[in-house]
């Protein structure tokens, strides 16, 4: 079922007729569709969990996602086409016996025990108490999907969450866990990137044209670099700009390397980036504030 249709223009208005970076795209937002969405959602999960994807029962997780009443996909070619983006929320407590949730909870506890003991203790309490429910938020999309599609998806999720609570469905959460991906840049890599961008972008117009011609990874890194304004001390950047807002409201933030080693001699993959994982734990009471801030900052499509 289609929820909304939006039109996005991925360029400035100046010189629209001659600028190759100007693209008009219609985005449709749909309910989750078990009939056609399975393979595409599973591929998005493989992208999210990256090298450690085999540690999870992604078949079970995909089936669980498609069985949820909460969730939205973004498509461009109608209801029967593959989704380019996914947002959903799963109750980890009511589904704690599912293989996917069991393996994910164990994975998060293992990572937290190694990296952040306070988060480990908090997760142990949250996962063990029957009266405490934790919502798992999964938001993933294909590379170069505009961040402007994200605020509408979150607003729809907030509306669905309110509706579910109004009829007594089990979506009363104390905390929300957000899963995401990051990439790491060394000082040398960042200096090389800055020099490359400066050399190839002497004017505002050439910046715009160059962006359309460079690779997906280059555009992704450049957008994130501009958004962060300055290099983080650890050199870790989010793939998705909205993670910066989640981080501001999060009670705990944990970045981690994947368990499975990369196949190549260097820890470089995914368009040449050193890709890692991120977990953000947010009190559920801040979710509405987060959705409002996303709309304000990223000027969500309306």
């Amino acid at each position: 079922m289609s929820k909304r249709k939006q039109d996005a223009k991925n360029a400035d208005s100046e010189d629209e007729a001659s600028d190759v970076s100007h693209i008009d795209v219609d985005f449709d937002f749909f309910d989750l569709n078990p009939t056609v969405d399975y393979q595409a959602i599973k591929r998005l999960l493989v992208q999210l969990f990256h090298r450690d994807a085999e540690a999870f029962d992604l078949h079970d997780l995909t089936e669980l996602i498609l069985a949820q009443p909460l969730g939205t996909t973004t498509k461009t070619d109608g209801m029967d086409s593959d989704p380019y983006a996914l947002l959903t929320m799963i109750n980890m407590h009511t589904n704690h016996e599912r293989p996917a949730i069991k393996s994910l909870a164990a994975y998060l506890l293992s990572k937290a025990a190694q990296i952040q003991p306070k988060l480990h203790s908090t997760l142990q309490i949250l996962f063990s108490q029957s009266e405490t429910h934790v919502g798992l938020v999964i938001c993933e999309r294909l590379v170069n999907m505009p961040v402007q599609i994200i605020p509408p998806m979150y607003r729809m999720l907030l509306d669905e969450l309110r509706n579910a609570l109004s009829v007594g469905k089990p979506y009363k959460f104390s905390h929300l866990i957000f899963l995401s991906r990051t990439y790491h840049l060394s000082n040398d890599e960042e200096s090389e990137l800055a020099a490359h961008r400066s050399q190839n972008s002497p004017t505002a117009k050439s910046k715009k044209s160059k962006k359309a011609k460079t690779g997906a990874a280059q555009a992704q890194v450049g957008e994130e670099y501009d958004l962060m304004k300055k290099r983080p001390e650890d050199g870790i950047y989010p793939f998705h700009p909205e993670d910066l807002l989640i981080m501001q409201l999060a009670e705990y933030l944990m970045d981690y390397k994947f368990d499975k080693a990369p196949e190549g001699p260097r820890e470089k993959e995914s368009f040449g980036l050193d890709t890692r994982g991120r977990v953000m734990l947010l009190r559920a009471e801040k979710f509405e504030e987060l959705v409002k801030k996303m709309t304000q900052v990223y000027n969500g499509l309306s």
Side-chain angles (χ1 to χ4, degrees), residues 11-22 204-205 208-209:
D12 296 336
S13 59
E14 180 184 4
D15 296 328
E16 289 182 350
S18 60
D19 186 358
V20 296
S21 69
H22 176 73
K205 183 174 178 61
K208 185 169 58 176
S209 299

PDB file of all heavy atoms in Angstrom, residues 11-22 204-205 208-209:
ATOM      1  N   ALA A  11      19.678  18.587  -7.198  1.00  0.00           N
ATOM      2  CA  ALA A  11      20.605  19.572  -7.751  1.00  0.00           C
ATOM      3  C   ALA A  11      20.143  20.967  -7.397  1.00  0.00           C
ATOM      4  O   ALA A  11      19.035  21.178  -6.933  1.00  0.00           O
ATOM      5  CB  ALA A  11      20.691  19.426  -9.260  1.00  0.00           C
ATOM      6  N   ASP A  12      21.026  21.964  -7.622  1.00  0.00           N
ATOM      7  CA  ASP A  12      20.662  23.356  -7.458  1.00  0.00           C
ATOM      8  C   ASP A  12      19.831  23.796  -8.645  1.00  0.00           C
ATOM      9  O   ASP A  12      19.839  23.177  -9.704  1.00  0.00           O
ATOM     10  CB  ASP A  12      21.916  24.227  -7.344  1.00  0.00           C
ATOM     11  CG  ASP A  12      22.711  23.885  -6.098  1.00  0.00           C
ATOM     12  OD1 ASP A  12      22.120  23.360  -5.138  1.00  0.00           O
ATOM     13  OD2 ASP A  12      23.929  24.145  -6.109  1.00  0.00           O
ATOM     14  N   SER A  13      19.119  24.925  -8.511  1.00  0.00           N
ATOM     15  CA  SER A  13      18.264  25.394  -9.594  1.00  0.00           C
ATOM     16  C   SER A  13      19.038  26.100 -10.699  1.00  0.00           C
ATOM     17  O   SER A  13      18.561  26.229 -11.809  1.00  0.00           O
ATOM     18  CB  SER A  13      17.208  26.358  -9.030  1.00  0.00           C
ATOM     19  OG  SER A  13      17.826  27.453  -8.394  1.00  0.00           O
ATOM     20  N   GLU A  14      20.254  26.574 -10.420  1.00  0.00           N
ATOM     21  CA  GLU A  14      21.045  27.322 -11.397  1.00  0.00           C
ATOM     22  C   GLU A  14      21.451  26.438 -12.558  1.00  0.00           C
ATOM     23  O   GLU A  14      21.935  25.318 -12.398  1.00  0.00           O
ATOM     24  CB  GLU A  14      22.306  27.885 -10.714  1.00  0.00           C
ATOM     25  CG  GLU A  14      23.179  28.685 -11.666  1.00  0.00           C
ATOM     26  CD  GLU A  14      24.456  29.134 -10.973  1.00  0.00           C
ATOM     27  OE1 GLU A  14      24.654  28.741  -9.817  1.00  0.00           O
ATOM     28  OE2 GLU A  14      25.230  29.855 -11.596  1.00  0.00           O
ATOM     29  N   ASP A  15      21.220  26.929 -13.769  1.00  0.00           N
ATOM     30  CA  ASP A  15      21.629  26.215 -14.974  1.00  0.00           C
ATOM     31  C   ASP A  15      21.060  24.799 -15.030  1.00  0.00           C
ATOM     32  O   ASP A  15      21.748  23.842 -15.396  1.00  0.00           O
ATOM     33  CB  ASP A  15      23.155  26.145 -15.087  1.00  0.00           C
ATOM     34  CG  ASP A  15      23.783  27.515 -15.237  1.00  0.00           C
ATOM     35  OD1 ASP A  15      23.136  28.411 -15.835  1.00  0.00           O
ATOM     36  OD2 ASP A  15      24.911  27.689 -14.768  1.00  0.00           O
ATOM     37  N   GLU A  16      19.778  24.654 -14.655  1.00  0.00           N
ATOM     38  CA  GLU A  16      19.194  23.332 -14.584  1.00  0.00           C
ATOM     39  C   GLU A  16      19.189  22.631 -15.934  1.00  0.00           C
ATOM     40  O   GLU A  16      19.374  21.420 -16.030  1.00  0.00           O
ATOM     41  CB  GLU A  16      17.763  23.422 -14.040  1.00  0.00           C
ATOM     42  CG  GLU A  16      17.715  23.785 -12.561  1.00  0.00           C
ATOM     43  CD  GLU A  16      16.287  23.823 -12.054  1.00  0.00           C
ATOM     44  OE1 GLU A  16      15.365  23.753 -12.901  1.00  0.00           O
ATOM     45  OE2 GLU A  16      16.096  23.913 -10.847  1.00  0.00           O
ATOM     46  N   ALA A  17      18.962  23.388 -17.006  1.00  0.00           N
ATOM     47  CA  ALA A  17      18.829  22.761 -18.316  1.00  0.00           C
ATOM     48  C   ALA A  17      20.117  22.102 -18.769  1.00  0.00           C
ATOM     49  O   ALA A  17      20.100  21.081 -19.447  1.00  0.00           O
ATOM     50  CB  ALA A  17      18.387  23.797 -19.349  1.00  0.00           C
ATOM     51  N   SER A  18      21.266  22.689 -18.396  1.00  0.00           N
ATOM     52  CA  SER A  18      22.540  22.173 -18.892  1.00  0.00           C
ATOM     53  C   SER A  18      23.325  21.397 -17.855  1.00  0.00           C
ATOM     54  O   SER A  18      24.338  20.791 -18.183  1.00  0.00           O
ATOM     55  CB  SER A  18      23.407  23.342 -19.386  1.00  0.00           C
ATOM     56  OG  SER A  18      23.657  24.245 -18.325  1.00  0.00           O
ATOM     57  N   ASP A  19      22.890  21.403 -16.618  1.00  0.00           N
ATOM     58  CA  ASP A  19      23.647  20.769 -15.539  1.00  0.00           C
ATOM     59  C   ASP A  19      23.309  19.278 -15.472  1.00  0.00           C
ATOM     60  O   ASP A  19      22.188  18.900 -15.161  1.00  0.00           O
ATOM     61  CB  ASP A  19      23.318  21.442 -14.199  1.00  0.00           C
ATOM     62  CG  ASP A  19      24.181  20.930 -13.066  1.00  0.00           C
ATOM     63  OD1 ASP A  19      24.999  20.028 -13.321  1.00  0.00           O
ATOM     64  OD2 ASP A  19      24.017  21.434 -11.950  1.00  0.00           O
ATOM     65  N   VAL A  20      24.287  18.424 -15.712  1.00  0.00           N
ATOM     66  CA  VAL A  20      24.031  16.991 -15.742  1.00  0.00           C
ATOM     67  C   VAL A  20      23.710  16.433 -14.362  1.00  0.00           C
ATOM     68  O   VAL A  20      23.240  15.308 -14.247  1.00  0.00           O
ATOM     69  CB  VAL A  20      25.245  16.234 -16.330  1.00  0.00           C
ATOM     70  CG1 VAL A  20      25.466  16.634 -17.762  1.00  0.00           C
ATOM     71  CG2 VAL A  20      26.501  16.469 -15.489  1.00  0.00           C
ATOM     72  N   SER A  21      23.978  17.191 -13.279  1.00  0.00           N
ATOM     73  CA  SER A  21      23.710  16.683 -11.943  1.00  0.00           C
ATOM     74  C   SER A  21      22.248  16.862 -11.538  1.00  0.00           C
ATOM     75  O   SER A  21      21.854  16.444 -10.472  1.00  0.00           O
ATOM     76  CB  SER A  21      24.613  17.383 -10.916  1.00  0.00           C
ATOM     77  OG  SER A  21      24.234  18.729 -10.767  1.00  0.00           O
ATOM     78  N   HIS A  22      21.442  17.489 -12.379  1.00  0.00           N
ATOM     79  CA  HIS A  22      20.032  17.718 -12.068  1.00  0.00           C
ATOM     80  C   HIS A  22      19.213  16.475 -12.408  1.00  0.00           C
ATOM     81  O   HIS A  22      19.152  16.047 -13.558  1.00  0.00           O
ATOM     82  CB  HIS A  22      19.506  18.915 -12.855  1.00  0.00           C
ATOM     83  CG  HIS A  22      18.039  19.153 -12.644  1.00  0.00           C
ATOM     84  ND1 HIS A  22      17.535  19.659 -11.477  1.00  0.00           N
ATOM     85  CD2 HIS A  22      16.977  18.931 -13.463  1.00  0.00           C
ATOM     86  CE1 HIS A  22      16.225  19.757 -11.575  1.00  0.00           C
ATOM     87  NE2 HIS A  22      15.860  19.306 -12.776  1.00  0.00           N
ATOM     88  N   ALA A 204      32.285  26.975  -7.394  1.00  0.00           N
ATOM     89  CA  ALA A 204      31.040  26.354  -6.934  1.00  0.00           C
ATOM     90  C   ALA A 204      30.406  25.536  -8.036  1.00  0.00           C
ATOM     91  O   ALA A 204      29.873  24.459  -7.815  1.00  0.00           O
ATOM     92  CB  ALA A 204      30.073  27.428  -6.446  1.00  0.00           C
ATOM     93  N   LYS A 205      30.456  26.056  -9.280  1.00  0.00           N
ATOM     94  CA  LYS A 205      29.820  25.337 -10.379  1.00  0.00           C
ATOM     95  C   LYS A 205      30.559  24.044 -10.671  1.00  0.00           C
ATOM     96  O   LYS A 205      29.944  22.999 -10.901  1.00  0.00           O
ATOM     97  CB  LYS A 205      29.758  26.206 -11.627  1.00  0.00           C
ATOM     98  CG  LYS A 205      29.042  25.527 -12.794  1.00  0.00           C
ATOM     99  CD  LYS A 205      28.884  26.484 -13.941  1.00  0.00           C
ATOM    100  CE  LYS A 205      28.210  25.814 -15.141  1.00  0.00           C
ATOM    101  NZ  LYS A 205      26.897  25.333 -14.830  1.00  0.00           N
ATOM    102  N   LYS A 208      29.710  21.319  -8.294  1.00  0.00           N
ATOM    103  CA  LYS A 208      28.438  20.669  -8.563  1.00  0.00           C
ATOM    104  C   LYS A 208      28.570  19.666  -9.701  1.00  0.00           C
ATOM    105  O   LYS A 208      28.061  18.557  -9.635  1.00  0.00           O
ATOM    106  CB  LYS A 208      27.392  21.728  -8.900  1.00  0.00           C
ATOM    107  CG  LYS A 208      25.995  21.171  -9.076  1.00  0.00           C
ATOM    108  CD  LYS A 208      24.957  22.272  -9.150  1.00  0.00           C
ATOM    109  CE  LYS A 208      25.206  23.244 -10.252  1.00  0.00           C
ATOM    110  NZ  LYS A 208      24.126  24.246 -10.365  1.00  0.00           N
ATOM    111  N   SER A 209      29.287  20.040 -10.756  1.00  0.00           N
ATOM    112  CA  SER A 209      29.462  19.148 -11.887  1.00  0.00           C
ATOM    113  C   SER A 209      30.354  17.971 -11.516  1.00  0.00           C
ATOM    114  O   SER A 209      30.100  16.847 -11.916  1.00  0.00           O
ATOM    115  CB  SER A 209      30.075  19.903 -13.068  1.00  0.00           C
ATOM    116  OG  SER A 209      29.230  20.956 -13.480  1.00  0.00           O
TER     117      SER A 209
END
